[in-house]
Amino acid sequence: MGWVDRGAHGNPRIHDLRHSFAVRRLILWHEQGIDVDQAMLTLSTYLGHAKISNTYWYLTGVPELMALAAVSSSASSTQRRLTMNNQKVF
């Protein structure tokens, strides 16, 4: 199948496919401009996680998603400051 082991398991596992799916879905949502916080419950349900915090782990446990979350958070923070400044002017 051409699978590549990305962990310390010796061989790729079916769980690795699930992990890749979740990570790729989150990256795609980010690229499409979809509100990841809103879509996260859907992904959590699909993956069968009992707690949504188990799904949010992907945002902190995967370097690519951590970088996207940081950029997104920074942009949101800037937008909030701009909005607050506009409200103060008027």
Side-chain angles (χ1 to χ4, degrees):
M1 290 182 67
W3 288 8
V4 177
D5 179 30
R6 291 192 172 94
H9 309 291
N11 293 310
R13 305 164 302 149
I14 195 72
H15 185 78
D16 298 331
L17 286 176
R18 175 185 154 106
H19 177 83
S20 293
F21 164 78
V23 170
R24 288 180 181 157
R25 174 54 43 196
L26 289 167
I27 290 171
L28 182 62
W29 281 340
H30 179 77
E31 290 171 352
Q32 293 173 333
I34 293 172
D35 185 350
V36 173
D37 286 327
Q38 291 292 319
M40 192 62 86
L41 183 57
T42 302
L43 182 60
S44 185
T45 301
Y46 185 81
L47 293 173
H49 290 160
K51 297 179 181 177
I52 197 166
S53 60
N54 294 336
T55 311
Y56 270 101
W57 172 87
Y58 287 102
L59 295 179
T60 60
V62 176
E64 297 88 354
L65 291 174
M66 187 73 151
L68 290 175
V71 169
S72 187
S73 176
S74 177
S76 294
S77 178
T78 300
Q79 183 61 39
R80 279 193 298 272
R81 280 195 303 272
L82 291 173
T83 301
M84 287 174 28
N85 288 339
N86 287 339
Q87 289 175 354
K88 290 178 183 177
V89 172
F90 296 105

